């Protein structure tokens, strides 16, 4: 650590994650890194999210360094008590949920006591400016997606093609080709409009006017993206999933009984069977028809599989129960929360059928597990292009009509699972993910690019604090 980290008055950092697991978890990994650098931390959350955060950090549930804010009630379409996007009845309610966080601003300002912030909601910029606090925006997407999106919208690339599946050359990155179908509404429209777009614009402006933009990636992975024109400069401090947990968290895990899925993975390892891990994140909405094809494809692949199913409705339960009965011990279906990192670390796991959420991509890289990309929503289609076409650590699932959003039949899934686990292309991407995984570990190790960037950021905040009247 740089010498300034030993000062008597290090910067006090307040972390305010957006209420979604995909945003919260990497920021809590960042909290581990800051904690080990002797940085004073305060976490802002809501009452409903407090237990998850305290458990993840290994802190007591009543720790005074976790501050609760009341989440607004009586939001149209959002049932009372839902305070995280993974609990929403439908992801179509995301925009209303995100806009509702604005009503937390007065409570947030009452709770302010930190001298710098790492935060997500765009309105925190207003609050930070009001109190003279430097705001650091956390960039949950990868730099590739951000840079491609910037070129698409600045240059109006979606105004031309007739078909949603026509390939478009990306201005500034001529080797990258995308389609309109790589984006969700309203961003795939010729003239995008609507409240979701307004929300993204506000967030983008807030990020551009922040003190810094923290990105959960490492420079060696995406050297040439985003910092060409980015304001402020992007600070790559990841992959944050490689942050070592605090001792209390390690001890808590040691004393917990081993979950059934871990026992099953151990059995597969003992029998020298390779496992493909299947998970589509906490927010993907998959139809009954598509679930049935997944079920059939996994069964017919003859590959051992661990499938995490988030949805717990009658239709889903019928499909997966029938699959369990047909495949016996060759497959395991888990319906509760799992520690994805522990699964990807396991020696028996040799492939990952993934929605390509950025956290999942990074975790695959760090534990050197090649991906079968099956993007569902948000920027996942761009992540999938990066995984398959740019850094070549995975293959793409085969849709029945060849389009990026096409239906996946059992035969297509079976074919690509077998290719990933046993084929020549699977061997190629396995070698590539080994190489990039080593680069990730070097970036986070002492003296690596991400290690240096975080230390430099702390030094800069220290200097800023010592040279100003910021409150502590």
């Amino acid at each position: 650590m740089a010498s300034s980290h030993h000062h008597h008055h290090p910067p006090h950092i307040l972390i305010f994650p957006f209420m979604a697991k995909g945003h919260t978890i990497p920021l809590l990994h960042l909290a581990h890194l800051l904690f080990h650098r002797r940085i004073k931390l305060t976490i802002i959350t809501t009452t409903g999210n407090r237990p998850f955060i305290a458990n993840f950090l290994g802190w007591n549930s009543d720790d005074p360094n976790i501050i609760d804010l009341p989440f607004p009630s009586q939001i149209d379409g959002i049932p009372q008590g839902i305070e995280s996007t993974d609990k929403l009845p439908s992801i179509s309610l995301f925009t209303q949920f995100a806009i509702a966080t604005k009503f937390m601003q007065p409570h947030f300002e009452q709770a302010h006591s930190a001298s710098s912030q790492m935060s997500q909601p765009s309105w925190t910029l207003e609050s930070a400016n009001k109190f003279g606090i430097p705001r650091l925006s956390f960039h949950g997407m990868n730099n590739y997606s951000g840079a491609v999106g910037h070129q698409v919208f600045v240059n109006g690339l979606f105004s031309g093609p007739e078909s949603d599946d026509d390939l478009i050359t990306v201005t500034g990155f001529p080797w990258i080709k995308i389609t309109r179908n790589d984006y969700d509404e309203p961003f795939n429209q010729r003239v995008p409009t609507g409240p979701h777009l307004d929300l993204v614009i506000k967030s983008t402006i807030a990020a551009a006017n922040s003190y810094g933009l923290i990105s959960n990636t490492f420079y060696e992975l995406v050297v040439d993206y985003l910092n060409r024109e980015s304001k402020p400069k992007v600070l790559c401090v990841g992959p944050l999933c490689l942050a070592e947990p605090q001792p209390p968290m390690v001890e808590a895990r040691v004393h917990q009984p081993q979950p059934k899925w871990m026992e099953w993975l151990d059995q597969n390892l003992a029998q020298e069977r390779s496992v493909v891990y299947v998970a589509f994140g906490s927010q993907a909405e998959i139809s009954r028809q598509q679930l049935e094809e997944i079920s059939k494809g996994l069964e017919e692949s003859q590959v051992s599989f661990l499938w995490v199913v988030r949805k717990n409705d009658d239709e889903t339960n019928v499909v997966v129960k029938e699959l369990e009965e047909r495949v016996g011990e060759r497959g395991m279906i888990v319906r509760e929360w799992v520690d994805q990192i522990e699964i990807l670390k396991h020696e028996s796991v040799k492939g990952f059928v993934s929605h390509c959420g950025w956290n999942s991509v990074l975790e695959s890289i760090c534990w050197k597990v090649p991906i079968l990309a099956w993007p569902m929503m948000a920027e996942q289609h761009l992540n999938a292009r990066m995984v398959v076409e740019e850094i070549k650590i995975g293959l793409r699932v085969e849709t029945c009509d060849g389009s990026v959003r096409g239906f996946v039949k059992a035969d297509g899934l079976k074919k690509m699972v077998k290719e990933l686990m046993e084929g020549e292309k699977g061997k190629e991407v396995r070698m590539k993910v080994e190489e990039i995984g080593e680069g990730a570990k070097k970036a986070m190790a002492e003296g690596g690019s991400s290690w240096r960037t975080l230390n430099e950021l702390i030094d800069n905040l220290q200097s800023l604090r010592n040279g100003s009247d910021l409150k502590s």
Side-chain angles (χ1 to χ4, degrees):
M1 287 181 285
S3 60
S4 66
H5 301 168
H6 299 289
H7 286 188
H8 294 299
H9 300 289
H12 178 180
I13 293 178
L14 182 151
I15 298 179
F16 186 9
F18 180 69
M19 284 70 72
K21 294 294 190 294
H23 290 266
T24 300
I25 289 171
L27 278 172
L28 296 180
H29 286 306
L30 179 60
H32 288 313
L33 291 176
L34 295 169
F35 179 85
H36 284 296
R37 283 164 167 78
R38 305 294 187 266
I39 301 299
K40 184 177 180 182
L41 296 176
T42 300
I43 313 289
I44 294 283
T45 187
T46 68
T47 306
N49 289 301
R50 183 187 187 104
F52 175 82
I53 287 174
N55 182 61
F56 193 100
L57 293 172
W59 295 1
N60 294 327
S61 60
D62 58 352
D63 194 299
N65 292 309
I66 304 175
I67 297 176
D68 296 349
L69 304 183
F71 191 81
S73 58
Q74 299 178 328
I75 305 301
D76 187 33
I78 300 176
Q80 189 78 20
I82 287 183
E83 298 179 10
S84 183
T85 59
D86 56 299
K87 304 292 185 186
L88 289 171
S90 169
I91 197 59
S92 63
L93 295 167
F94 174 85
T95 302
Q96 293 99 299
F97 181 90
I99 291 171
T101 66
K102 173 72 175 174
F103 296 106
M104 298 169 66
Q105 185 172 358
H107 304 286
F108 174 75
E109 291 179 0
Q110 287 175 13
H112 95 280
S113 62
S115 58
S116 65
Q117 290 185 55
M118 294 181 187
S119 50
Q120 184 64 30
S122 60
W123 49 262
T124 55
L125 179 64
E126 300 170 26
S127 301
N129 289 341
K130 186 181 292 185
F131 295 110
I133 301 170
R135 177 191 191 261
L136 292 156
S137 181
F138 175 70
H139 200 53
M141 298 195 319
N142 79 69
N143 293 358
Y144 174 96
S145 300
V148 169
H150 176 78
Q151 293 294 330
V152 166
F153 295 108
V154 166
N155 295 292
L157 299 185
F158 286 165
S159 60
E162 290 298 319
S163 168
D164 289 344
D165 289 303
D166 284 351
L167 286 170
I168 304 161
T169 299
V170 177
T171 310
F173 308 106
W175 65 94
I176 299 174
K177 291 180 171 51
I178 60 167
T179 71
R180 195 183 278 123
N181 260 338
D182 284 309
Y183 285 80
D184 290 346
E185 289 186 357
F187 309 103
N188 57 4
Q189 298 169 355
R190 284 179 170 79
V191 183
T193 58
H196 192 178
L197 179 69
D198 296 340
L199 185 70
V200 169
I201 290 171
K202 283 182 181 177
S203 297
T204 303
I205 292 170
N209 288 285
S210 296
Y211 178 77
L213 181 56
I214 292 177
S215 180
N216 186 14
T217 188
F218 54 109
Y219 287 110
E220 292 82 356
L221 184 63
V222 281
V223 176
D224 200 31
Y225 305 118
L226 217 56
N227 268 337
R228 281 185 182 181
E229 302 174 19
S230 178
K231 180 197 171 190
K233 186 178 179 181
V234 178
L235 306 169
C236 297
V237 298
L240 293 168
C241 56
L242 287 174
E244 291 295 324
Q246 295 177 40
M249 189 178 177
V250 174
E251 289 169 13
R253 283 179 177 170
V254 167
H255 292 100
Q256 287 174 356
Q258 185 160 283
K260 289 181 180 178
W261 46 264
M262 184 60 81
E263 292 177 3
W264 182 84
L265 288 173
D266 287 344
Q267 290 168 10
N268 277 273
L269 183 62
Q271 295 169 19
E272 298 184 341
R273 287 201 302 254
S274 295
V275 173
V276 64
Y277 171 51
V278 184
F280 301 109
S282 58
Q283 296 176 342
E285 296 180 348
I286 303 173
S287 69
R288 165 73 180 262
Q289 188 182 8
Q290 186 64 86
L291 281 170
E292 288 173 344
E293 294 296 320
I294 296 171
S295 173
K296 188 179 176 185
L298 290 175
E299 179 186 1
E300 293 180 352
S301 74
Q302 295 300 309
V303 172
S304 295
F305 64 88
L306 173 61
W307 182 12
V308 176
V309 180
R310 301 290 189 189
K311 211 168 180 182
N312 193 23
D313 58 24
D314 291 341
E315 282 192 344
T316 304
N317 289 335
V318 167
V319 172
V320 298
K321 188 174 181 182
E322 289 176 353
L323 177 62
E324 284 175 314
E325 291 170 354
R326 295 196 304 269
V327 300
E329 292 187 359
R330 181 168 63 81
M332 183 167 196
I333 297 166
V334 183
R335 296 171 178 82
E336 67 267 12
W337 184 88
V338 298
D339 187 332
Q340 181 162 283
I341 288 176
E342 289 302 311
I343 290 173
L344 291 170
K345 275 184 181 179
H346 201 278
E347 289 180 62
S348 68
V349 175
K350 302 297 183 184
F352 183 10
V353 181
S354 173
H355 64 308
C356 288
W358 187 233
N359 292 336
S360 291
V361 171
L362 283 175
E363 288 163 9
S364 261
I365 288 171
C366 292
W367 284 281
K368 303 173 183 177
V369 179
I371 293 172
L372 180 57
W374 189 344
M376 301 275 175
M377 53 178 282
E379 88 285 4
Q380 293 164 11
H381 288 84
L382 293 173
N383 292 345
R385 285 201 181 274
M386 179 180 173
V387 161
V388 177
E389 300 167 13
E390 189 79 7
I391 59 175
K392 303 183 191 313
I393 61 164
L395 308 176
R396 184 107 184 200
V397 75
E398 190 175 272
T399 60
C400 60
D401 63 359
S403 70
V404 297
R405 290 183 185 263
F407 189 77
V408 178
K409 290 188 175 179
D411 284 348
L413 180 59
K414 168 188 169 183
K415 171 186 170 184
M416 294 312 298
V417 165
K418 289 184 76 67
E419 183 61 43
L420 182 73
M421 301 297 282
E422 303 166 5
E424 285 303 314
K425 290 181 180 177
K427 290 177 185 174
E428 291 171 12
V429 296
R430 198 174 306 282
M431 288 174 61
K432 191 66 177 175
V433 80
E434 284 275 345
E435 173 194 326
I436 293 181
E438 283 301 311
K441 289 181 179 178
K442 286 178 183 176
M444 286 293 285
E446 184 170 345
S449 61
S450 295
W451 184 91
R452 294 194 310 271
T453 298
L454 185 57
N455 280 356
E456 287 166 8
L457 172 61
I458 293 169
D459 282 344
N460 290 341
L461 292 174
Q462 178 72 62
S463 299
L464 194 65
R465 185 175 187 272
N466 291 343
S468 70
D469 297 319
L470 294 176
K471 297 180 180 180
S472 61

